[in-house]
Amino acid sequence: MANNTVYTDLKQLAFPALEAAMLHEARIHELPILEHSAGRLSIDAEYGSFGITAQDEGLRLEVSAEETDKLHMIRESVVDHLLHFMPDLAGAIKWSDNMKIGAHPENFQFVEILGSAPLNQDFHRLEVRLSKPELFVSGALHFRFVLPAPENADPEWPVLNETGSTTWPTGDKELHRPVYTARHFDYEAGTAIVDVYDHEGGRAITWAKTAAPGMQSAITGPGGARIPATKKLVICGDETAYPAIGRILDASPDAIGEVVLFNHSGLKDYDITCPSGMTLTWVTPVDEIDFAQTATDMVQRNPDAMFWFASEAGQADAIRQHEVIQARPKDQIKIARYWSRGTV
């Protein structure tokens, strides 16, 4: 049962119009319908639920979640989708809670750099202290660094606006928000280890190499996929996925299946420890065909295992469309786009 529920009454909007739009989004994103009756629709989401109820005038839009940071993420997603199609509604959205307009979002926090050093040729390791470590006690894998441009000595940080969404600075104050995975968490100490892959010319790796103990940075999250809760696994990814793969394997000591790591440098020196029931193979891909062939071969060898894949956007999209992957049940597939060529 959700502990936090907020609502806004929208008198200008008829229930049937938003009902159809929400059902469409639920189908596209494969979100379970919790309730659908005359004048009431409720939909399950990753961190909570959202729904609408018909009223004498218009409708009530409601959002629920266990924690306040999750409530913010669901509310923001719902509002962003709503305003994308109906921007004129922005002034009508008045939430029932005491949302602090101008405050930082609940899922935003500052972090202190505790350590910064090369891990090996391909990775730079950061240790950070979280100001809100309680947000990361779940099995969530990902967060976003929030990085000002190097020349921005006086950064502006994100704040909540009147609709419940986040206002991000633009222009010279725009913030770079790359997605990363915490390789290790020390929940008692409130610290995390983050390994940043050395994409040549990438903004994140350039920043990481200049980070020094005592410096302040910021992150948002957690967000995105969680550690798979299954025993049978086939995992495949390139260097950008190594920290997430290592984290999954550390949390899955009884897993059985296969792990394939694409490795372009040939060094094969990232610290990955496989459970005894899984095999680890390092592959140096010759061309793009290797990615799809290797991944789909793994799936065919393990027909009842969950398939977890993360790599470059084009490779992930191609594998997602492969006939072998298309034939698998949706709940046995997790494919992620960890980076895009030209945008690192």
PDB file of all heavy atoms in Angstrom, residues 21 31 49 90 112 115 136 140 145 157 209 248 277 279 314 325 344:
ATOM      1  N   ALA A  21      -6.011   8.119 -23.687  1.00  0.00           N
ATOM      2  CA  ALA A  21      -4.571   8.378 -23.791  1.00  0.00           C
ATOM      3  C   ALA A  21      -3.786   7.528 -22.803  1.00  0.00           C
ATOM      4  O   ALA A  21      -2.724   6.979 -23.141  1.00  0.00           O
ATOM      5  CB  ALA A  21      -4.292   9.855 -23.559  1.00  0.00           C
ATOM      6  N   LEU A  31       2.317  -1.595 -19.010  1.00  0.00           N
ATOM      7  CA  LEU A  31       2.028  -1.326 -17.606  1.00  0.00           C
ATOM      8  C   LEU A  31       0.716  -2.013 -17.214  1.00  0.00           C
ATOM      9  O   LEU A  31      -0.284  -1.891 -17.913  1.00  0.00           O
ATOM     10  CB  LEU A  31       1.901   0.182 -17.374  1.00  0.00           C
ATOM     11  CG  LEU A  31       3.118   1.034 -17.724  1.00  0.00           C
ATOM     12  CD1 LEU A  31       2.807   2.511 -17.493  1.00  0.00           C
ATOM     13  CD2 LEU A  31       4.330   0.610 -16.904  1.00  0.00           C
ATOM     14  N   SER A  49       1.891   4.069  -8.563  1.00  0.00           N
ATOM     15  CA  SER A  49       0.736   3.981  -9.453  1.00  0.00           C
ATOM     16  C   SER A  49       0.210   5.372  -9.760  1.00  0.00           C
ATOM     17  O   SER A  49       0.528   6.351  -9.065  1.00  0.00           O
ATOM     18  CB  SER A  49      -0.370   3.125  -8.824  1.00  0.00           C
ATOM     19  OG  SER A  49      -0.851   3.743  -7.637  1.00  0.00           O
ATOM     20  N   ALA A  90      -0.975  23.487 -18.208  1.00  0.00           N
ATOM     21  CA  ALA A  90       0.079  23.742 -17.213  1.00  0.00           C
ATOM     22  C   ALA A  90      -0.414  24.620 -16.068  1.00  0.00           C
ATOM     23  O   ALA A  90      -0.169  24.339 -14.890  1.00  0.00           O
ATOM     24  CB  ALA A  90       1.286  24.383 -17.887  1.00  0.00           C
ATOM     25  N   GLU A 112      29.895  14.139  -2.255  1.00  0.00           N
ATOM     26  CA  GLU A 112      31.276  14.596  -2.051  1.00  0.00           C
ATOM     27  C   GLU A 112      32.237  13.554  -2.616  1.00  0.00           C
ATOM     28  O   GLU A 112      32.083  12.355  -2.366  1.00  0.00           O
ATOM     29  CB  GLU A 112      31.556  14.789  -0.562  1.00  0.00           C
ATOM     30  CG  GLU A 112      32.984  15.224  -0.255  1.00  0.00           C
ATOM     31  CD  GLU A 112      33.315  15.182   1.226  1.00  0.00           C
ATOM     32  OE1 GLU A 112      32.411  14.863   2.019  1.00  0.00           O
ATOM     33  OE2 GLU A 112      34.486  15.448   1.583  1.00  0.00           O
ATOM     34  N   GLY A 115      37.427   9.891  -3.295  1.00  0.00           N
ATOM     35  CA  GLY A 115      38.599   9.330  -3.946  1.00  0.00           C
ATOM     36  C   GLY A 115      38.435   9.355  -5.449  1.00  0.00           C
ATOM     37  O   GLY A 115      37.319   9.260  -5.972  1.00  0.00           O
ATOM     38  N   PHE A 136      19.064   4.819  -1.889  1.00  0.00           N
ATOM     39  CA  PHE A 136      19.681   3.741  -2.655  1.00  0.00           C
ATOM     40  C   PHE A 136      19.707   2.416  -1.903  1.00  0.00           C
ATOM     41  O   PHE A 136      20.572   1.588  -2.150  1.00  0.00           O
ATOM     42  CB  PHE A 136      21.106   4.136  -3.049  1.00  0.00           C
ATOM     43  CG  PHE A 136      21.154   5.134  -4.173  1.00  0.00           C
ATOM     44  CD1 PHE A 136      21.032   6.481  -3.909  1.00  0.00           C
ATOM     45  CD2 PHE A 136      21.295   4.726  -5.479  1.00  0.00           C
ATOM     46  CE1 PHE A 136      21.067   7.410  -4.931  1.00  0.00           C
ATOM     47  CE2 PHE A 136      21.337   5.641  -6.516  1.00  0.00           C
ATOM     48  CZ  PHE A 136      21.218   6.989  -6.239  1.00  0.00           C
ATOM     49  N   ALA A 140      18.094  -1.025  -7.087  1.00  0.00           N
ATOM     50  CA  ALA A 140      18.222  -0.198  -8.289  1.00  0.00           C
ATOM     51  C   ALA A 140      19.673  -0.154  -8.750  1.00  0.00           C
ATOM     52  O   ALA A 140      20.599  -0.123  -7.943  1.00  0.00           O
ATOM     53  CB  ALA A 140      17.707   1.211  -8.014  1.00  0.00           C
ATOM     54  N   PHE A 145      24.741  11.256 -13.031  1.00  0.00           N
ATOM     55  CA  PHE A 145      25.560  12.376 -12.595  1.00  0.00           C
ATOM     56  C   PHE A 145      24.921  13.651 -13.138  1.00  0.00           C
ATOM     57  O   PHE A 145      24.299  13.652 -14.215  1.00  0.00           O
ATOM     58  CB  PHE A 145      26.987  12.260 -13.142  1.00  0.00           C
ATOM     59  CG  PHE A 145      27.900  11.412 -12.303  1.00  0.00           C
ATOM     60  CD1 PHE A 145      28.519  10.292 -12.839  1.00  0.00           C
ATOM     61  CD2 PHE A 145      28.148  11.735 -10.985  1.00  0.00           C
ATOM     62  CE1 PHE A 145      29.362   9.500 -12.073  1.00  0.00           C
ATOM     63  CE2 PHE A 145      28.994  10.955 -10.207  1.00  0.00           C
ATOM     64  CZ  PHE A 145      29.603   9.840 -10.751  1.00  0.00           C
ATOM     65  N   TRP A 157      21.213  24.584 -10.216  1.00  0.00           N
ATOM     66  CA  TRP A 157      20.780  23.211 -10.031  1.00  0.00           C
ATOM     67  C   TRP A 157      19.278  23.088 -10.291  1.00  0.00           C
ATOM     68  O   TRP A 157      18.554  24.085 -10.251  1.00  0.00           O
ATOM     69  CB  TRP A 157      21.141  22.734  -8.620  1.00  0.00           C
ATOM     70  CG  TRP A 157      22.607  22.823  -8.330  1.00  0.00           C
ATOM     71  CD1 TRP A 157      23.234  23.703  -7.510  1.00  0.00           C
ATOM     72  CD2 TRP A 157      23.647  22.009  -8.901  1.00  0.00           C
ATOM     73  NE1 TRP A 157      24.595  23.493  -7.510  1.00  0.00           N
ATOM     74  CE2 TRP A 157      24.879  22.458  -8.360  1.00  0.00           C
ATOM     75  CE3 TRP A 157      23.666  20.953  -9.804  1.00  0.00           C
ATOM     76  CZ2 TRP A 157      26.106  21.890  -8.684  1.00  0.00           C
ATOM     77  CZ3 TRP A 157      24.882  20.370 -10.140  1.00  0.00           C
ATOM     78  CH2 TRP A 157      26.081  20.839  -9.580  1.00  0.00           C
ATOM     79  N   LYS A 209      38.398  12.443 -14.364  1.00  0.00           N
ATOM     80  CA  LYS A 209      39.851  12.496 -14.228  1.00  0.00           C
ATOM     81  C   LYS A 209      40.319  13.763 -13.531  1.00  0.00           C
ATOM     82  O   LYS A 209      41.452  13.813 -13.022  1.00  0.00           O
ATOM     83  CB  LYS A 209      40.507  12.366 -15.600  1.00  0.00           C
ATOM     84  CG  LYS A 209      40.394  10.969 -16.202  1.00  0.00           C
ATOM     85  CD  LYS A 209      41.061  10.891 -17.566  1.00  0.00           C
ATOM     86  CE  LYS A 209      41.025   9.478 -18.119  1.00  0.00           C
ATOM     87  NZ  LYS A 209      41.656   9.373 -19.464  1.00  0.00           N
ATOM     88  N   ILE A 248      25.337  -7.033 -10.648  1.00  0.00           N
ATOM     89  CA  ILE A 248      24.320  -8.089 -10.743  1.00  0.00           C
ATOM     90  C   ILE A 248      24.892  -9.418 -10.272  1.00  0.00           C
ATOM     91  O   ILE A 248      24.263 -10.151  -9.500  1.00  0.00           O
ATOM     92  CB  ILE A 248      23.801  -8.199 -12.186  1.00  0.00           C
ATOM     93  CG1 ILE A 248      22.978  -6.965 -12.556  1.00  0.00           C
ATOM     94  CG2 ILE A 248      22.960  -9.458 -12.361  1.00  0.00           C
ATOM     95  CD1 ILE A 248      22.633  -6.877 -14.028  1.00  0.00           C
ATOM     96  N   GLY A 277      27.931 -21.209 -10.749  1.00  0.00           N
ATOM     97  CA  GLY A 277      27.025 -21.804 -11.728  1.00  0.00           C
ATOM     98  C   GLY A 277      26.978 -21.086 -13.060  1.00  0.00           C
ATOM     99  O   GLY A 277      26.159 -21.449 -13.925  1.00  0.00           O
ATOM    100  N   THR A 279      29.244 -19.397 -16.488  1.00  0.00           N
ATOM    101  CA  THR A 279      30.495 -19.354 -17.239  1.00  0.00           C
ATOM    102  C   THR A 279      30.737 -17.937 -17.735  1.00  0.00           C
ATOM    103  O   THR A 279      29.796 -17.221 -18.091  1.00  0.00           O
ATOM    104  CB  THR A 279      30.447 -20.306 -18.440  1.00  0.00           C
ATOM    105  OG1 THR A 279      29.385 -19.911 -19.323  1.00  0.00           O
ATOM    106  CG2 THR A 279      30.223 -21.736 -17.991  1.00  0.00           C
ATOM    107  N   GLY A 314      22.690   1.619 -31.018  1.00  0.00           N
ATOM    108  CA  GLY A 314      22.390   0.940 -32.271  1.00  0.00           C
ATOM    109  C   GLY A 314      22.456  -0.565 -32.146  1.00  0.00           C
ATOM    110  O   GLY A 314      21.622  -1.291 -32.717  1.00  0.00           O
ATOM    111  N   ILE A 325      15.082 -12.811 -30.399  1.00  0.00           N
ATOM    112  CA  ILE A 325      14.696 -12.041 -29.224  1.00  0.00           C
ATOM    113  C   ILE A 325      13.196 -11.733 -29.251  1.00  0.00           C
ATOM    114  O   ILE A 325      12.515 -11.782 -28.223  1.00  0.00           O
ATOM    115  CB  ILE A 325      15.514 -10.743 -29.139  1.00  0.00           C
ATOM    116  CG1 ILE A 325      17.020 -11.066 -29.156  1.00  0.00           C
ATOM    117  CG2 ILE A 325      15.143  -9.951 -27.894  1.00  0.00           C
ATOM    118  CD1 ILE A 325      17.475 -11.993 -28.066  1.00  0.00           C
ATOM    119  N   VAL A 344      28.881  10.813 -26.195  1.00  0.00           N
ATOM    120  CA  VAL A 344      29.434  10.425 -24.902  1.00  0.00           C
ATOM    121  C   VAL A 344      30.044  11.607 -24.172  1.00  0.00           C
ATOM    122  O   VAL A 344      30.299  11.524 -22.992  1.00  0.00           O
ATOM    123  CB  VAL A 344      30.494   9.296 -25.059  1.00  0.00           C
ATOM    124  CG1 VAL A 344      29.833   8.059 -25.639  1.00  0.00           C
ATOM    125  CG2 VAL A 344      31.638   9.757 -25.926  1.00  0.00           C
TER     126      VAL A 344
END
